[in-house]
Amino acid sequence: MKVPFNVLRPQYLMFKEEYDKAALEVLDSGWYVLGEKVSQFEKEFADYVGVKHCVGLNSGLDALILAFRALGISEGDEVIVPANTYIASVLGVTENGATPIFVEPDEFYNIDPARIEEAITERTKAILPVHLYGQPARMEEIMAIAKKRDLFVVEDCAQAHGATINGKNIGTFGDINCFSFFPTKNLGAFGDAGAIVTDNEELEKRVRLLRNYGSVKKYYHEIEGVNSRLDEFQAALLSVKIKHMTELEDDRKRVAEKYLEEITNPMIELPKTKEGFKHVWHLFVVKCDKRDELQRYLSDNGIGTQIHYPVPPHLSGAYRRFGYKKGDFPITENYAESILSLPLYNGMKDEEVDYVIAKINMFKGVSV
């Protein structure tokens, strides 16, 4: 049997008639950028998250860049960021000329609040928690630090649509918060798309200016902006998918719970979940001291996997200028050398899940 790491088509087929109808409506409308479908989705997504405002953008990375820009964060400023994250999180900071200050993760793979205060300096302006793999960061602790030190908080929610802390949605804690709708995300579009959400009307207005060349009225430009507009096709298709989020979330939970219950190989460390925190299982990440052997073994048995992420941002060539070296963030580096993401996608069949479990439980530490 072959089990790919991820397949998008089964999820499309679940709601094919609705997607096709929505796409054809956009084609027939003759209006393809920043129209009624975008406004409709912005309202739907704001309601879904539980905030007053949503601004649709071209991507999750643009959401991060424009969020920090809207807050006025720039050269000379510092932002506390997780050392264990995808580089896009950090690019949102550096694209504005600010400096990322890395902080090690906790046992749940997210930024460790206990390590944040020691990283704060007089130049620190914000904290960027990332809800990695679908589990919320410890926002209540982070918000307490931010309030005490008078810092902005920008949540990177790219992997955690629908995740909650004691019933409160992620994306409702920070000052301005960022989502990606890349096709593989739990609420994924059919191309690049993203959004910021906020309860702050001034920040919302500023992002609306920034996303459209700094313009409210065509050809009249109030500030220096960019082109980061959510198109009508993506908005219309996202409006279809958001109606089915509970169903899609339950489908991912089905796979994750089966993995948690039936993977019994002592060489495999299963993901931990924090009490009161709803994990939405964007990724199912295990830890294994013989990760590379495990990945080869699974590949030899037709099972696709990925590593999220093999090179931490502080060791990437992109940030060589900051002078970090191996050993500077040992917890993050250990994760990078030992974690592996197992297949998990909407429409995954029970027999595929059973096959993955059986092969993992048979793993002895050598590729066969």
Side-chain angles (χ1 to χ4, degrees), residues 99-347:
T99 301
I101 304 298
F102 296 104
V103 169
E104 290 269 52
D106 59 16
E107 62 184 317
F108 306 102
Y109 300 118
N110 287 319
I111 191 169
D112 187 348
R115 299 171 181 265
I116 289 177
E117 286 218 62
E118 64 190 33
I120 295 172
T121 72
E122 62 183 14
R123 292 184 175 183
T124 306
K125 293 294 189 294
I127 304 171
L128 175 68
V130 180
H131 308 297
L132 203 63
Y133 308 147
Q135 179 160 216
R138 289 151 59 188
M139 290 307 302
E140 291 168 342
E141 297 169 66
I142 292 168
M143 295 307 297
I145 295 168
K147 183 177 180 180
K148 174 184 173 184
R149 304 300 292 266
D150 194 24
L151 301 174
F152 293 117
V153 173
V154 179
E155 294 178 66
D156 183 342
C157 311
Q159 299 187 3
H161 313 71
T164 62
I165 300 173
N166 298 317
K168 181 176 170 62
N169 286 335
I170 56 97
T172 62
F173 290 88
D175 297 279
I176 185 168
N177 309 308
C178 306
F179 285 85
S180 168
F181 305 122
F182 186 74
T184 58
K185 298 297 192 285
N186 290 33
L187 178 56
F190 290 70
D192 278 315
I196 66 96
V197 298
T198 183
D199 282 327
N200 186 307
E201 186 175 354
E202 291 304 312
L203 290 175
E204 178 241 358
K205 287 179 178 178
R206 188 161 182 82
V207 175
R208 287 196 187 279
L209 276 173
L210 286 167
R211 77 169 176 185
N212 192 31
Y213 300 107
S215 172
V216 174
K217 181 181 178 182
K218 193 170 185 177
Y219 302 134
Y220 293 81
H221 307 279
E222 306 299 323
I223 61 174
E224 293 181 53
V226 299
N227 177 359
S228 182
R229 301 174 298 204
L230 179 62
D231 70 66
E232 289 284 281
F233 280 104
Q234 302 306 335
L237 296 168
L238 285 165
S239 284
V240 171
K241 186 175 286 189
I242 200 170
K243 295 178 176 68
H244 298 284
M245 281 301 286
T246 299
E247 180 180 347
L248 292 167
E249 186 179 301
D250 288 346
D251 190 41
R252 302 184 80 88
K253 184 179 177 182
R254 167 186 62 88
V255 178
E257 288 185 345
K258 199 167 178 60
Y259 280 154
L260 289 169
E261 291 168 6
E262 298 182 23
I263 293 176
T264 57
N265 189 327
M267 297 182 69
I268 309 301
E269 183 178 322
L270 297 170
K272 299 178 178 68
T273 54
K274 186 169 174 57
E275 186 176 354
F277 285 42
K278 186 176 81 171
H279 198 316
V280 292
W281 303 109
H282 172 61
L283 295 168
F284 192 95
V285 178
V286 299
K287 195 168 181 288
C288 179
D289 290 339
K290 297 192 174 185
R291 188 270 310 282
D292 293 344
E293 291 94 328
L294 174 62
Q295 187 174 40
R296 283 194 296 269
Y297 163 80
L298 292 174
S299 178
D300 290 345
N301 283 278
I303 299 171
T305 59
Q306 287 191 14
I307 301 169
H308 294 91
Y309 300 93
V311 181
H314 72 278
L315 295 180
S316 69
Y319 291 130
R320 191 175 290 115
R321 68 184 182 276
F322 292 125
Y324 291 108
K325 62 185 183 302
K326 191 171 176 58
D328 284 342
F329 297 94
I331 300 173
T332 295
E333 292 163 26
N334 174 261
Y335 285 167
E337 293 168 358
S338 60
I339 57 174
L340 190 67
S341 299
L342 303 184
L344 196 166
Y345 54 88
N346 286 119

